[in-house]
Amino acid sequence: QVQLVESGGGLVQAGESLRLSCAASGSFFSNNVMGWYRQAPGKQRDLVATIHSSGTTKYADSVKGRFTISRDNAKNMAYLQMNSLKPEDTADYYCNLRGPGWTAVYDYWGQGTQVTVSS
């Protein structure tokens, strides 16, 4: 059983920064993709950023240049550094782990952490 636990959410003002962390535990292939998705009230869950175990990253256009995803494979951790936060970044942020590789043969989600950006 794979568990993902997010941390680091909170309330900040526009222009400030937050760093989200995701700890993965359990048994899974080392060739995988970890990612962050977000869901605002009344909206669908959208991709924020993903990172393959090789280090290849993908970002949503709305966060390029402001957010940085990273991971520590030895610790099974993923991070999302969020800078220059905007009110429209307000959402629940979810950690995801899937694989093997870029597939979704297995697909796990965390419980989410709330990020609120005030104007």
Side-chain angles (χ1 to χ4, degrees):
Q1 185 73 11
V2 174
Q3 282 194 320
L4 302 175
V5 179
E6 302 100 333
S7 61
L11 171 64
V12 296
Q13 293 188 330
E16 294 184 340
S17 299
L18 275 177
R19 187 190 194 214
L20 305 183
S21 299
C22 173
S25 62
S27 180
F28 46 88
F29 291 104
S30 59
N31 175 22
N32 61 63
V33 174
M34 295 188 76
W36 291 94
Y37 293 73
R38 66 186 180 186
Q39 187 168 19
K43 296 189 176 181
Q44 66 180 19
R45 189 173 296 185
D46 292 325
L47 168 74
V48 176
T50 59
I51 182 166
H52 187 267
S53 46
S54 66
T56 301
T57 58
K58 296 182 181 179
Y59 292 93
D61 288 343
S62 60
V63 305
K64 284 181 180 177
R66 300 189 298 123
F67 291 10
T68 302
I69 190 170
S70 61
R71 62 186 291 167
D72 184 331
N73 292 331
K75 296 181 179 179
N76 292 326
M77 296 287 297
Y79 307 96
L80 185 68
Q81 178 66 43
M82 305 185 292
N83 297 330
S84 302
L85 281 161
K86 304 176 181 180
E88 50 264 44
D89 294 318
T90 295
D92 291 326
Y93 284 70
Y94 296 89
C95 180
N96 174 260
L97 185 151
R98 60 183 58 175
W102 293 101
T103 72
V105 174
Y106 58 87
D107 189 10
Y108 300 102
W109 293 91
Q111 294 298 307
T113 185
Q114 190 172 53
V115 173
T116 303
V117 185
S118 63
S119 58

